[in-house]
Amino acid sequence: MSTTTSSRPVAGATAKRRLPRWWWLGAVLGVLFVVSVLEVVTGADDLASSGTVRATLIALVPIMLAGLGGLWSERAGIVNIGLEGMMILGTYGAGFFGYHYGAWAGVAGALLMGALGGLVHAIATVVFGVDHIISGVAINIIALGAVQYLASLTFAGLPGGGSTQSPKLDNVPSVTIGPLSDALGDLEGQDIFFVSQLAAVLRAMVTNLSLFVLLAFVLLLLTYVVLWRTTFGLRLRSVGESPSAAESLGVAVLRYKFSAVLVSGALAGLAGGFLAMVASSNYRDGQTGGRGYIGLAAMIFGNWRPTGLLAGSGLFGYTESVGLRQGGTSVHALLLGVAVLAMGLAAYQFYRRNITQGSVILGLGAVVMLVWVAIDTVPGDFTSITPYVITLLVLAFASQRLRMPAADGQIYRKGSAG
């Protein structure tokens, strides 16, 4: 008697649908199309200019690098609240080494100082089993005080320096493809619907593009390849999911955790170095501005994956840049986009019979639409907090699909596998 195996899925099993490779390109073009429509409808002509895109890249990169640091650490099961402190260490490293030894030495100094913070966090959490949150908060406090003290010792008395800032730093080299930049600039100036906006985005990519920006995107790609396409990455992620099971299979759990936190600190240090050397031209006290925490939020928004992290960083960077460039006019135009998007999401939730969530989103969308109709421009005080408000709203709406590594934040002792 022969037996046949049913082709139907096992009860309770879920099939994970993979997005096609071109999905992200389509999503970017779709967002650009929506922004182009907003420019036509509202008259806000700076929503997709090459200047806005360039400013978005500068605002995006430090958040993305800090988020990458959090990604490495948390994929190995170590929560890294200390990203802000490691960024602060990176700003000082870039300022000190960049002033004395040149631009690329500043980049290396930022990496090393951030890795130093990662080393402290790794020793505390991996070796001594200190609570991850307590260790991270302590690093933030210690880094702030230590850097302020070191800056007062090393920068005070130097030409252009002081106790709260370094002298001017050498610029990291940038690249421009002249003929292509000029051609795209002409096309941007013709104000052709969608075509000019696309030309503006491409122009920003080939005009005065800092090599530090290129380095950041290489590190994003490298993170994806290492963590999702190599044996090392598979073992590191297994440590964050089930360290006991990983150890039972011969994985050196503590070694992988230690390495991941070191890389995490180095990436956060680079984020601080970018602020000092590209976003600004010197180290300044307080220039991180909480971006370490925003990077952590972007990582969570991205569901602990590099592509989602990039989207979260871009969202914050874009809203911050738009608010700074054209202020209330551009943010007012974005309110219309947010209202329409909320109504679309509400319709989707109603279609899926999520009546409560759909009603909440629809209500928020209606409120935003009423605000857009009632005012002509957004007050300056609100434009400065727009990125933080949007980040919180997106995290709230995205919370249902998020899944952190199963062992994230757990204290692990060698031999726990039994």
Side-chain angles (χ1 to χ4, degrees), residues 40 85 168 258 332 335 414:
V40 172
K168 190 178 186 311
F258 207 96
H332 181 257
L335 289 178
K414 186 175 181 180

Side-chain angles (χ1 to χ4, degrees), residues 18-401:
R18 296 177 64 88
L19 293 172
R21 294 181 182 275
W22 48 263
W23 186 89
W24 277 101
L25 176 60
V28 171
L29 292 176
V31 170
L32 185 59
F33 179 82
V34 171
V35 172
S36 302
V37 172
L38 283 177
E39 285 195 345
V40 172
V41 173
T42 64
D45 57 0
D46 200 35
L47 292 178
S49 67
S50 56
T52 297
V53 176
R54 193 176 300 114
T56 297
L57 286 174
I58 293 175
L60 173 158
V61 167
I63 297 169
M64 183 183 75
L65 285 173
L68 276 181
L71 177 66
W72 272 84
S73 182
E74 298 210 8
R75 277 294 177 178
I78 305 294
V79 175
N80 193 355
I81 298 294
L83 291 172
E84 179 76 6
M86 296 169 196
M87 284 184 70
I88 292 172
L89 291 171
T91 60
Y92 174 78
F96 180 82
F97 290 99
Y99 174 73
H100 290 287
Y101 305 108
W104 288 114
V107 174
L111 185 150
L112 290 173
M113 290 294 291
L116 178 62
L119 176 64
V120 174
H121 192 48
I123 292 173
T125 57
V126 179
V127 178
F128 294 107
V130 176
D131 182 87
H132 301 181
I133 304 298
I134 293 175
S135 174
V137 171
I139 287 173
N140 290 339
I141 296 172
I142 293 171
L144 178 61
V147 165
Q148 288 177 340
Y149 176 71
L150 289 172
S152 66
L153 287 180
T154 55
F155 296 141
L158 295 177
S163 60
T164 60
Q165 68 177 38
S166 72
K168 190 178 186 311
L169 305 176
D170 293 337
N171 294 325
V172 176
S174 59
V175 293
T176 298
I177 305 177
L180 184 57
S181 176
D182 294 339
L184 291 170
D186 293 339
L187 191 56
E188 179 185 0
Q190 293 179 22
D191 199 22
I192 305 172
F193 175 75
F194 185 70
V195 175
S196 293
Q197 286 79 7
L198 180 59
V201 172
L202 296 175
R203 185 187 181 203
M205 303 296 180
V206 297
T207 307
N208 292 328
L209 185 66
S210 172
L211 292 181
F212 208 146
V213 174
L214 293 178
L215 173 63
F217 281 97
V218 168
L219 290 172
L220 178 75
L221 178 61
L222 191 61
T223 293
Y224 170 75
V225 171
V226 171
L227 293 186
W228 274 270
R229 289 293 184 267
T230 67
T231 303
F232 172 85
L234 177 61
R235 291 174 177 171
L236 187 145
R237 288 186 291 117
S238 71
V239 165
E241 296 292 344
S242 179
S244 297
E247 187 179 60
S248 69
L249 295 174
V251 176
V253 172
L254 299 185
R255 186 183 305 166
Y256 276 87
K257 286 179 176 288
F258 207 96
S259 301
V261 180
L262 280 179
V263 174
S264 175
L267 289 168
L270 283 176
F274 186 91
L275 289 173
M277 304 191 71
V278 179
S280 181
S281 59
N282 61 348
Y283 156 82
R284 291 198 311 274
D285 184 31
Q287 69 188 144
T288 56
R291 286 174 174 81
Y293 302 109
I294 296 297
L296 201 60
M299 179 207 65
I300 296 171
F301 164 80
N303 211 7
W304 288 266
R305 295 187 67 91
T307 48
L309 164 63
L310 176 60
S313 304
L315 174 66
F316 185 92
Y318 178 73
T319 52
E320 181 182 41
S321 300
V322 164
L324 290 175
R325 285 179 60 83
Q326 209 177 44
T329 302
S330 293
V331 175
H332 181 257
L334 289 181
L335 289 178
L336 176 61
V338 170
V340 173
L341 177 61
M343 292 177 183
L345 287 175
Y348 176 69
Q349 294 299 331
F350 288 139
Y351 172 76
R352 296 186 61 187
R353 301 185 184 278
N354 295 329
I355 305 302
T356 301
Q357 188 171 4
S359 300
V360 171
I361 296 175
L362 180 61
L364 289 174
V367 170
V368 174
M369 179 64 78
L370 288 175
V371 172
W372 180 76
V373 171
I375 62 177
D376 294 326
T377 185
V378 176
D381 291 339
F382 183 78
T383 60
S384 61
I385 66 171
T386 299
Y388 304 94
V389 173
I390 289 179
T391 299
L392 289 174
L393 288 175
V394 169
L395 280 175
F397 291 141
S399 60
Q400 291 187 345
R401 68 174 181 84

